[in-house]
Coordinates of all heavy atoms in Angstrom, one line a residue:
M1 N 35.6 43.1 -3.9 CA 34.7 42.2 -3.2 C 34.3 41.1 -4.1 O 34.1 39.9 -3.7 CB 33.4 43.0 -2.8 CG 32.4 42.3 -2.1 SD 33.1 41.8 -0.5 CE 31.8 41.1 0.3
F2 N 34.1 41.4 -5.5 CA 33.8 40.3 -6.4 C 34.9 39.2 -6.5 O 34.6 38.0 -6.7 CB 33.5 40.8 -7.8 CG 32.2 41.6 -7.9 CD1 32.2 42.9 -8.1 CD2 31.0 40.9 -7.7 CE1 31.0 43.6 -8.2 CE2 29.8 41.6 -7.8 CZ 29.8 43.0 -8.0
L3 N 36.2 39.6 -6.3 CA 37.2 38.6 -6.4 C 37.1 37.6 -5.2 O 37.3 36.4 -5.4 CB 38.6 39.3 -6.3 CG 39.0 40.0 -7.6 CD1 40.3 40.8 -7.3 CD2 39.2 39.1 -8.7
I4 N 36.7 38.1 -4.1 CA 36.5 37.2 -2.8 C 35.3 36.3 -3.1 O 35.4 35.1 -2.9 CB 36.3 38.0 -1.6 CG1 37.6 38.7 -1.2 CG2 35.9 37.1 -0.4 CD1 37.5 39.7 -0.1
D5 N 34.2 36.8 -3.6 CA 33.1 36.0 -4.0 C 33.4 34.9 -5.0 O 33.0 33.8 -4.9 CB 31.9 36.9 -4.5 CG 31.3 37.8 -3.4 OD1 31.6 37.5 -2.2 OD2 30.6 38.6 -3.7
D6 N 34.1 35.3 -6.1 CA 34.5 34.4 -7.1 C 35.4 33.3 -6.5 O 35.3 32.1 -6.9 CB 35.2 35.1 -8.2 CG 34.3 36.0 -9.1 OD1 33.1 35.8 -8.9 OD2 34.8 36.8 -9.8
F7 N 36.3 33.7 -5.6 CA 37.3 32.7 -5.0 C 36.5 31.7 -4.2 O 36.7 30.5 -4.2 CB 38.3 33.5 -4.2 CG 39.3 32.5 -3.6 CD1 40.2 31.8 -4.4 CD2 39.3 32.3 -2.2 CE1 41.1 30.9 -3.9 CE2 40.2 31.4 -1.7 CZ 41.2 30.8 -2.4
V8 N 35.6 32.2 -3.3 CA 34.8 31.4 -2.4 C 33.9 30.4 -3.4 O 33.8 29.2 -3.0 CB 33.9 32.2 -1.5 CG1 32.9 31.3 -0.8 CG2 34.8 33.0 -0.5
F9 N 33.3 30.9 -4.4 CA 32.5 30.0 -5.2 C 33.4 29.0 -6.0 O 33.1 27.8 -6.0 CB 31.9 30.9 -6.4 CG 31.1 30.1 -7.4 CD1 29.8 29.6 -7.1 CD2 31.6 29.8 -8.6 CE1 29.2 28.9 -8.0 CE2 31.0 29.1 -9.5 CZ 29.7 28.6 -9.2
W10 N 34.6 29.4 -6.4 CA 35.6 28.4 -7.0 C 36.0 27.4 -5.9 O 36.0 26.2 -6.3 CB 36.8 29.2 -7.5 CG 37.8 28.3 -8.1 CD1 37.8 27.9 -9.4 CD2 39.0 27.8 -7.5 NE1 38.9 27.1 -9.6 CE2 39.6 27.0 -8.4 CE3 39.6 27.9 -6.3 CZ2 40.9 26.4 -8.2 CZ3 40.8 27.2 -6.0 CH2 41.4 26.5 -7.0
I11 N 36.3 27.7 -4.7 CA 36.6 26.7 -3.7 C 35.5 25.8 -3.5 O 35.6 24.6 -3.3 CB 37.0 27.4 -2.4 CG1 38.4 28.2 -2.5 CG2 37.1 26.5 -1.2 CD1 39.6 27.3 -2.7
G12 N 34.2 26.4 -3.3 CA 33.1 25.5 -3.1 C 32.8 24.5 -4.2 O 32.6 23.3 -4.0
K13 N 33.1 24.9 -5.4 CA 33.0 24.1 -6.6 C 34.0 23.0 -6.6 O 33.7 21.8 -6.8 CB 33.0 24.8 -7.9 CG 32.8 24.0 -9.2 CD 32.7 24.8 -10.4 CE 32.6 23.9 -11.7 NZ 32.7 22.5 -11.6
K14 N 35.2 23.3 -6.3 CA 36.3 22.3 -6.1 C 36.0 21.2 -5.1 O 36.1 20.0 -5.3 CB 37.6 23.0 -5.8 CG 38.2 23.7 -7.0 CD 38.6 22.8 -8.1 CE 39.2 23.5 -9.3 NZ 39.4 22.7 -10.4
V15 N 35.5 21.7 -3.9 CA 35.2 20.7 -2.9 C 34.0 19.9 -3.3 O 34.0 18.7 -3.1 CB 34.7 21.5 -1.6 CG1 34.2 20.6 -0.5 CG2 36.0 22.3 -1.0
K16 N 33.0 20.4 -4.0 CA 31.9 19.6 -4.5 C 32.3 18.6 -5.5 O 32.0 17.4 -5.5 CB 30.8 20.5 -5.1 CG 29.6 19.7 -5.6 CD 28.7 20.5 -6.5 CE 27.5 19.7 -7.0 NZ 27.9 18.6 -7.7
D17 N 33.2 19.0 -6.4 CA 33.8 18.1 -7.4 C 34.6 17.0 -6.8 O 34.5 15.8 -7.2 CB 34.7 18.9 -8.4 CG 33.9 19.8 -9.3 OD1 32.6 19.7 -9.4 OD2 34.6 20.7 -9.9
M18 N 35.4 17.3 -5.7 CA 36.1 16.2 -5.0 C 35.1 15.3 -4.3 O 35.4 14.0 -4.4 CB 37.1 16.9 -4.0 CG 38.2 17.6 -4.7 SD 39.3 18.5 -3.6 CE 39.9 17.3 -2.5
A19 N 34.1 15.8 -3.7 CA 33.1 14.9 -3.0 C 32.4 14.1 -4.0 O 32.2 12.9 -3.8 CB 32.1 15.8 -2.2
D20 N 32.0 14.6 -5.1 CA 31.3 13.8 -6.2 C 32.3 12.7 -6.7 O 31.8 11.6 -6.8 CB 30.9 14.7 -7.4 CG 29.7 15.6 -7.1 OD1 29.0 15.3 -6.0 OD2 29.5 16.5 -7.9
E21 N 33.6 13.0 -6.9 CA 34.5 12.0 -7.3 C 34.6 10.9 -6.3 O 34.7 9.7 -6.6 CB 35.8 12.6 -7.6 CG 36.9 11.6 -8.0 CD 36.5 10.9 -9.3 OE1 35.9 11.5 -10.2 OE2 37.0 9.7 -9.4
E22 N 34.6 11.3 -5.0 CA 34.7 10.3 -3.9 C 33.4 9.4 -3.9 O 33.5 8.2 -3.8 CB 34.9 11.0 -2.6 CG 35.0 10.0 -1.4 CD 36.4 9.4 -1.4 OE1 37.3 9.9 -2.0 OE2 36.4 8.2 -0.9
L23 N 32.3 10.0 -4.1 CA 31.0 9.2 -4.1 C 30.8 8.4 -5.3 O 30.4 7.2 -5.2 CB 29.9 10.2 -3.9 CG 29.6 10.7 -2.5 CD1 28.5 11.8 -2.6 CD2 29.2 9.7 -1.5
Y24 N 31.1 9.0 -6.5 CA 30.7 8.4 -7.7 C 31.9 7.8 -8.5 O 31.7 7.1 -9.6 CB 29.9 9.3 -8.6 CG 28.8 10.0 -7.8 CD1 28.8 11.4 -7.7 CD2 27.8 9.3 -7.2 CE1 27.9 12.0 -7.0 CE2 26.9 9.9 -6.5 CZ 26.8 11.3 -6.4 OH 25.9 11.9 -5.7
G25 N 33.1 7.9 -8.0 CA 34.3 7.4 -8.7 C 34.3 5.9 -8.8 O 34.9 5.3 -9.7
D26 N 33.6 5.3 -8.0 CA 33.5 3.8 -8.0 C 32.9 3.3 -9.3 O 33.0 2.1 -9.6 CB 32.8 3.2 -6.8 CG 33.5 3.4 -5.5 OD1 34.7 3.6 -5.5 OD2 32.8 3.4 -4.4
K27 N 32.1 4.1 -9.9 CA 31.5 3.7 -11.2 C 32.4 3.1 -12.2 O 32.1 2.1 -12.8 CB 30.7 5.0 -11.8 CG 29.8 4.7 -12.9 CD 29.1 6.0 -13.2 CE 28.1 5.8 -14.3 NZ 27.4 7.1 -14.7
D28 N 33.6 3.8 -12.4 CA 34.6 3.3 -13.3 C 35.1 1.9 -12.9 O 35.3 1.0 -13.7 CB 35.7 4.2 -13.5 CG 35.3 5.5 -14.2 OD1 34.3 5.5 -15.0 OD2 35.9 6.5 -14.0
K29 N 35.3 1.7 -11.6 CA 35.8 0.5 -11.0 C 34.8 -0.6 -11.2 O 35.1 -1.8 -11.6 CB 36.1 0.6 -9.6 CG 37.2 1.5 -9.2 CD 37.5 1.6 -7.7 CE 38.5 2.7 -7.5 NZ 38.7 3.0 -6.1
I30 N 33.5 -0.3 -11.1 CA 32.4 -1.3 -11.3 C 32.4 -1.7 -12.8 O 32.3 -2.9 -13.1 CB 31.1 -0.8 -10.8 CG1 31.1 -0.6 -9.3 CG2 30.0 -1.8 -11.2 CD1 30.0 0.1 -8.7
H31 N 32.5 -0.7 -13.7 CA 32.6 -1.1 -15.1 C 33.7 -1.9 -15.5 O 33.6 -2.9 -16.2 CB 32.6 0.2 -15.9 CG 31.3 1.0 -16.0 ND1 30.6 1.0 -17.2 CD2 30.6 1.7 -15.1 CE1 29.5 1.7 -17.0 NE2 29.5 2.1 -15.7
Q32 N 34.9 -1.7 -14.9 CA 36.1 -2.5 -15.1 C 35.8 -3.9 -14.6 O 36.2 -4.9 -15.2 CB 37.3 -1.9 -14.4 CG 38.5 -2.7 -14.6 CD 39.0 -2.7 -16.0 OE1 38.8 -1.8 -16.8 NE2 39.5 -3.9 -16.4
R33 N 35.1 -4.0 -13.4 CA 34.9 -5.3 -12.8 C 33.9 -6.1 -13.8 O 34.1 -7.4 -14.0 CB 34.1 -5.1 -11.4 CG 33.7 -6.4 -10.8 CD 34.9 -7.2 -10.3 NE 34.4 -8.3 -9.5 CZ 35.0 -9.5 -9.6 NH1 36.1 -9.7 -10.3 NH2 34.5 -10.6 -8.9
L34 N 32.9 -5.5 -14.3 CA 32.0 -6.1 -15.3 C 32.8 -6.7 -16.5 O 32.6 -7.8 -17.0 CB 31.0 -5.2 -15.8 CG 29.8 -4.9 -14.8 CD1 29.0 -3.7 -15.3 CD2 29.0 -6.2 -14.6
L35 N 33.8 -5.9 -17.0 CA 34.6 -6.4 -18.1 C 35.4 -7.6 -17.7 O 35.6 -8.6 -18.5 CB 35.6 -5.2 -18.6 CG 34.8 -4.1 -19.3 CD1 35.9 -3.0 -19.6 CD2 34.2 -4.5 -20.6
E36 N 36.0 -7.6 -16.4 CA 36.8 -8.7 -15.9 C 35.9 -9.9 -15.8 O 36.3 -11.0 -16.2 CB 37.4 -8.3 -14.6 CG 38.5 -7.3 -14.7 CD 38.9 -6.8 -13.3 OE1 38.4 -7.3 -12.3 OE2 39.8 -5.9 -13.3
L37 N 34.7 -9.8 -15.3 CA 33.8 -10.9 -15.2 C 33.4 -11.5 -16.6 O 33.4 -12.7 -16.7 CB 32.5 -10.5 -14.5 CG 32.6 -10.1 -13.0 CD1 31.3 -9.5 -12.5 CD2 33.0 -11.3 -12.2
Q38 N 33.2 -10.6 -17.6 CA 32.9 -11.1 -18.8 C 34.1 -11.9 -19.4 O 33.9 -13.0 -20.1 CB 32.5 -10.0 -19.8 CG 32.1 -10.4 -21.2 CD 30.8 -11.2 -21.2 OE1 29.9 -10.8 -20.6 NE2 30.8 -12.3 -21.9
A39 N 35.3 -11.4 -19.2 CA 36.5 -12.1 -19.8 C 36.6 -13.5 -19.1 O 36.9 -14.5 -19.7 CB 37.7 -11.3 -19.5
K40 N 36.4 -13.6 -17.8 CA 36.5 -14.9 -17.1 C 35.4 -15.8 -17.6 O 35.7 -17.0 -17.7 CB 36.3 -14.6 -15.6 CG 37.5 -14.0 -14.9 CD 37.4 -13.9 -13.4 CE 38.7 -13.4 -12.8 NZ 38.6 -13.5 -11.3
L41 N 34.2 -15.3 -17.9 CA 33.2 -16.2 -18.4 C 33.6 -16.7 -19.8 O 33.5 -17.9 -20.1 CB 31.9 -15.4 -18.5 CG 30.7 -16.2 -19.1 CD1 30.3 -17.3 -18.1 CD2 29.5 -15.2 -19.3
D42 N 34.1 -15.8 -20.6 CA 34.5 -16.1 -22.0 C 35.6 -17.1 -22.0 O 35.7 -18.0 -22.9 CB 34.9 -14.9 -22.8 CG 33.8 -13.9 -23.0 OD1 32.6 -14.4 -22.9 OD2 34.0 -12.8 -23.4
M43 N 36.5 -17.1 -21.0 CA 37.7 -18.0 -20.9 C 37.4 -19.3 -20.1 O 38.3 -20.0 -19.7 CB 38.9 -17.3 -20.4 CG 39.4 -16.2 -21.4 SD 40.9 -15.4 -20.8 CE 40.5 -14.6 -19.3
D44 N 36.1 -19.4 -19.8 CA 35.7 -20.6 -19.0 C 36.3 -20.7 -17.6 O 36.5 -21.8 -17.0 CB 35.9 -21.9 -19.8 CG 34.9 -22.0 -21.0 OD1 33.8 -21.5 -20.9 OD2 35.4 -22.6 -22.0
E45 N 36.7 -19.5 -17.1 CA 37.3 -19.4 -15.7 C 36.2 -19.3 -14.7 O 36.4 -19.3 -13.4 CB 38.3 -18.3 -15.6 CG 39.5 -18.5 -16.4 CD 40.5 -17.3 -16.3 OE1 40.3 -16.4 -15.5 OE2 41.4 -17.4 -17.1
M46 N 34.9 -19.1 -15.2 CA 33.8 -18.9 -14.3 C 32.6 -19.4 -15.0 O 32.4 -19.3 -16.2 CB 33.6 -17.3 -14.1 CG 32.4 -16.9 -13.3 SD 32.2 -15.1 -13.2 CE 33.7 -14.7 -12.2
G47 N 31.7 -20.1 -14.1 CA 30.5 -20.6 -14.6 C 29.4 -19.5 -14.9 O 29.5 -18.4 -14.3
E48 N 28.4 -19.8 -15.7 CA 27.4 -18.9 -16.0 C 26.6 -18.4 -14.7 O 26.3 -17.3 -14.6 CB 26.4 -19.6 -17.0 CG 25.3 -18.7 -17.5 CD 25.7 -17.7 -18.6 OE1 26.7 -18.0 -19.2 OE2 25.1 -16.7 -18.6
E49 N 26.3 -19.4 -13.9 CA 25.6 -19.0 -12.6 C 26.3 -18.0 -11.7 O 25.8 -17.0 -11.3 CB 25.2 -20.3 -11.8 CG 24.4 -20.1 -10.6 CD 22.9 -19.6 -11.1 OE1 22.5 -20.0 -12.1 OE2 22.3 -18.9 -10.3
E50 N 27.7 -18.3 -11.6 CA 28.5 -17.4 -10.8 C 28.5 -16.0 -11.5 O 28.5 -15.0 -10.8 CB 29.9 -18.0 -10.6 CG 30.8 -17.1 -9.7 CD 32.2 -17.7 -9.6 OE1 32.5 -18.7 -10.2 OE2 33.0 -17.1 -8.8
Y51 N 28.7 -16.0 -12.7 CA 28.8 -14.8 -13.5 C 27.5 -14.0 -13.3 O 27.5 -12.8 -13.1 CB 29.0 -15.1 -15.0 CG 28.8 -13.8 -15.8 CD1 29.8 -12.9 -16.0 CD2 27.6 -13.6 -16.5 CE1 29.7 -11.8 -16.8 CE2 27.5 -12.4 -17.3 CZ 28.6 -11.5 -17.4 OH 28.4 -10.4 -18.2
K52 N 26.3 -14.6 -13.4 CA 25.1 -13.9 -13.3 C 24.9 -13.2 -11.9 O 24.4 -12.1 -11.8 CB 23.9 -14.8 -13.6 CG 23.7 -15.1 -15.1 CD 22.6 -16.0 -15.3 CE 22.4 -16.3 -16.8 NZ 21.3 -17.1 -17.0
I53 N 25.4 -14.0 -10.9 CA 25.3 -13.4 -9.5 C 26.2 -12.2 -9.3 O 25.7 -11.2 -8.9 CB 25.7 -14.6 -8.5 CG1 24.6 -15.6 -8.5 CG2 25.9 -13.9 -7.1 CD1 25.0 -16.9 -7.7
K54 N 27.4 -12.3 -9.8 CA 28.4 -11.2 -9.7 C 28.0 -10.0 -10.5 O 28.2 -8.9 -10.2 CB 29.7 -11.6 -9.9 CG 30.2 -12.7 -8.8 CD 31.7 -13.0 -9.0 CE 32.0 -13.9 -7.8 NZ 33.5 -14.2 -7.8
E55 N 27.5 -10.4 -11.7 CA 27.0 -9.3 -12.7 C 25.8 -8.5 -12.0 O 25.8 -7.3 -12.1 CB 26.6 -9.9 -14.0 CG 26.0 -8.8 -15.0 CD 25.3 -9.4 -16.2 OE1 24.6 -10.4 -16.0 OE2 25.5 -8.9 -17.2
Q56 N 24.9 -9.2 -11.4 CA 23.8 -8.5 -10.7 C 24.2 -7.7 -9.6 O 23.7 -6.6 -9.5 CB 22.8 -9.6 -10.2 CG 21.5 -9.0 -9.7 CD 20.7 -8.2 -10.7 OE1 20.7 -8.5 -11.9 NE2 20.2 -7.1 -10.3
E57 N 25.3 -8.1 -8.8 CA 25.8 -7.3 -7.8 C 26.4 -6.0 -8.3 O 26.2 -4.9 -7.8 CB 26.9 -8.1 -7.0 CG 26.4 -9.2 -6.2 CD 27.5 -10.1 -5.6 OE1 28.7 -9.9 -5.9 OE2 27.2 -11.0 -4.9
C58 N 27.1 -6.1 -9.4 CA 27.7 -4.9 -10.1 C 26.6 -3.9 -10.6 O 26.7 -2.7 -10.4 CB 28.6 -5.2 -11.2 SG 30.1 -6.0 -10.7
L59 N 25.6 -4.5 -11.2 CA 24.5 -3.7 -11.8 C 23.7 -3.0 -10.6 O 23.3 -1.8 -10.8 CB 23.6 -4.5 -12.6 CG 24.2 -5.1 -13.9 CD1 23.2 -6.0 -14.6 CD2 24.7 -4.0 -14.8
E60 N 23.5 -3.7 -9.5 CA 22.9 -3.1 -8.4 C 23.7 -1.9 -7.8 O 23.2 -0.8 -7.4 CB 22.6 -4.1 -7.3 CG 21.4 -5.0 -7.7 CD 21.2 -6.1 -6.7 OE1 21.9 -6.2 -5.6 OE2 20.4 -7.1 -7.0
A61 N 25.0 -2.1 -7.8 CA 25.9 -1.1 -7.3 C 25.9 0.2 -8.2 O 25.8 1.3 -7.7 CB 27.4 -1.6 -7.1
L62 N 25.8 0.0 -9.5 CA 25.8 1.0 -10.4 C 24.4 1.8 -10.2 O 24.4 3.0 -10.3 CB 25.9 0.5 -11.9 CG 27.3 0.2 -12.3 CD1 27.3 -0.5 -13.7 CD2 28.2 1.4 -12.3
Q63 N 23.4 1.0 -10.0 CA 22.0 1.6 -9.8 C 22.1 2.5 -8.5 O 21.5 3.6 -8.5 CB 21.0 0.6 -9.8 CG 19.6 1.2 -9.6 CD 18.5 0.1 -9.6 OE1 18.8 -1.1 -9.7 NE2 17.3 0.5 -9.6
N64 N 22.7 2.0 -7.5 CA 22.8 2.7 -6.2 C 23.5 4.0 -6.4 O 23.1 5.1 -5.9 CB 23.4 1.9 -5.1 CG 22.5 0.8 -4.6 OD1 21.3 0.9 -4.8 ND2 23.1 -0.2 -4.1
I65 N 24.6 4.0 -7.2 CA 25.4 5.2 -7.5 C 24.5 6.2 -8.2 O 24.6 7.4 -7.9 CB 26.7 4.8 -8.2 CG1 27.6 4.1 -7.4 CG2 27.3 6.1 -8.8 CD1 28.8 3.5 -8.1
Q66 N 23.8 5.7 -9.2 CA 23.0 6.6 -10.0 C 21.9 7.2 -9.1 O 21.6 8.5 -9.2 CB 22.3 5.8 -11.2 CG 21.5 6.8 -12.1 CD 22.4 7.8 -12.8 OE1 23.5 7.6 -13.1 NE2 21.8 8.9 -13.0
E67 N 21.3 6.5 -8.3 CA 20.2 7.0 -7.4 C 20.8 8.0 -6.4 O 20.1 9.0 -6.1 CB 19.5 5.8 -6.6 CG 18.7 5.0 -7.5 CD 18.2 3.7 -6.8 OE1 18.5 3.5 -5.7 OE2 17.4 2.9 -7.5
R68 N 21.9 7.8 -5.8 CA 22.6 8.7 -5.0 C 22.9 10.0 -5.7 O 22.7 11.1 -5.2 CB 23.9 8.2 -4.4 CG 23.6 7.2 -3.2 CD 25.0 6.9 -2.5 NE 26.0 6.6 -3.5 CZ 27.0 5.8 -3.3 NH1 27.1 5.2 -2.1 NH2 27.9 5.6 -4.2
K69 N 23.4 9.9 -6.9 CA 23.7 11.1 -7.7 C 22.5 11.9 -8.0 O 22.5 13.1 -7.9 CB 24.4 10.6 -9.0 CG 24.9 11.8 -9.8 CD 25.7 11.3 -11.0 CE 26.4 12.4 -11.7 NZ 25.6 13.3 -12.4
E70 N 21.4 11.2 -8.4 CA 20.2 11.9 -8.7 C 19.6 12.6 -7.5 O 19.1 13.7 -7.5 CB 19.1 10.9 -9.3 CG 19.5 10.5 -10.7 CD 18.6 9.4 -11.3 OE1 17.7 8.9 -10.6 OE2 18.8 9.0 -12.4
G71 N 19.8 11.9 -6.4 CA 19.2 12.5 -5.1 C 20.0 13.8 -4.7 O 19.5 14.7 -4.2
N72 N 21.4 13.7 -4.9 CA 22.2 14.8 -4.5 C 22.0 16.0 -5.6 O 22.1 17.2 -5.2 CB 23.7 14.5 -4.5 CG 24.0 13.7 -3.3 OD1 23.3 13.7 -2.3 ND2 25.1 12.9 -3.3
D73 N 21.8 15.7 -6.8 CA 21.6 16.7 -7.8 C 20.3 17.5 -7.5 O 20.2 18.7 -7.9 CB 21.5 16.1 -9.2 CG 22.9 15.7 -9.7 OD1 23.9 16.1 -9.1 OD2 22.9 15.0 -10.7
G74 N 19.3 16.8 -6.9 CA 18.0 17.5 -6.6 C 18.0 18.4 -5.4 O 17.1 19.1 -5.1
K75 N 19.1 18.3 -4.5 CA 19.1 19.1 -3.3 C 19.4 20.5 -3.6 O 20.1 20.9 -4.5 CB 20.2 18.5 -2.4 CG 19.8 17.2 -1.7 CD 20.8 16.9 -0.7 CE 20.5 15.5 0.0 NZ 21.5 15.1 1.0
S76 N 18.8 21.3 -2.7 CA 19.0 22.8 -2.8 C 20.4 23.2 -2.3 O 20.8 22.6 -1.3 CB 17.9 23.5 -2.0 OG 18.2 24.8 -2.0
N77 N 21.0 24.2 -2.9 CA 22.2 24.6 -2.3 C 22.1 25.6 -1.1 O 23.0 26.0 -0.5 CB 23.0 25.4 -3.4 CG 23.5 24.5 -4.5 OD1 23.8 23.3 -4.2 ND2 23.7 25.0 -5.7
D78 N 20.8 25.9 -0.8 CA 20.5 26.8 0.3 C 20.6 26.1 1.7 O 20.5 26.7 2.6 CB 19.1 27.4 0.2 CG 19.0 28.2 -1.0 OD1 20.1 28.8 -1.5 OD2 17.9 28.4 -1.6
E79 N 20.8 24.7 1.7 CA 20.8 24.0 3.0 C 22.0 24.2 3.7 O 23.1 24.5 3.2 CB 20.6 22.5 2.7 CG 19.3 22.1 2.1 CD 19.2 20.7 1.7 OE1 20.2 20.0 1.9 OE2 18.1 20.3 1.3

């Protein structure tokens, strides 16, 4: 019986890990975008004003990801 319980628990954890990756995997892409924006600014391919606007968009997206993650971490598994 314990083998079945362990297997069900393992499957549940894998599904949760996959869902988390889907929800929060964009974090790495946003960090990469910030690096690209900085490089464009440094090479004068982008002006300071445009950089600040796009940087703010990225930072807001990262904040949204963090807030969603914190909200999901606080949910009960009994639901």
Side-chain angles (χ1 to χ4, degrees):
M1 185 65 175
F2 288 113
L3 287 175
I4 294 172
D5 290 344
D6 290 343
F7 181 71
V8 170
F9 178 77
W10 180 82
I11 292 289
K13 183 171 177 355
K14 288 294 182 186
V15 170
K16 181 190 178 306
D17 291 346
M18 290 172 61
D20 286 347
E21 178 62 30
E22 184 70 26
L23 283 173
Y24 311 122
D26 291 339
K27 191 175 178 180
D28 292 335
K29 292 176 187 174
I30 295 169
H31 283 252
Q32 182 63 37
R33 177 72 175 142
L34 284 168
L35 291 172
E36 291 169 3
L37 290 173
Q38 184 64 49
K40 286 184 176 187
L41 179 66
D42 292 344
M43 295 186 296
D44 293 326
E45 294 179 8
M46 175 184 293
E48 184 77 27
E49 187 66 29
E50 182 182 5
Y51 171 80
K52 286 182 180 183
I53 292 169
K54 292 184 178 188
E55 178 190 39
Q56 186 61 37
E57 291 171 355
C58 289
L59 294 175
E60 288 173 6
L62 286 172
Q63 184 177 1
N64 288 338
I65 289 170
Q66 184 63 33
E67 288 171 358
R68 282 191 313 211
K69 185 174 191 292
E70 288 171 359
N72 284 342
D73 286 348
K75 286 188 178 177
S76 170
N77 290 334
D78 296 334
E79 293 178 356

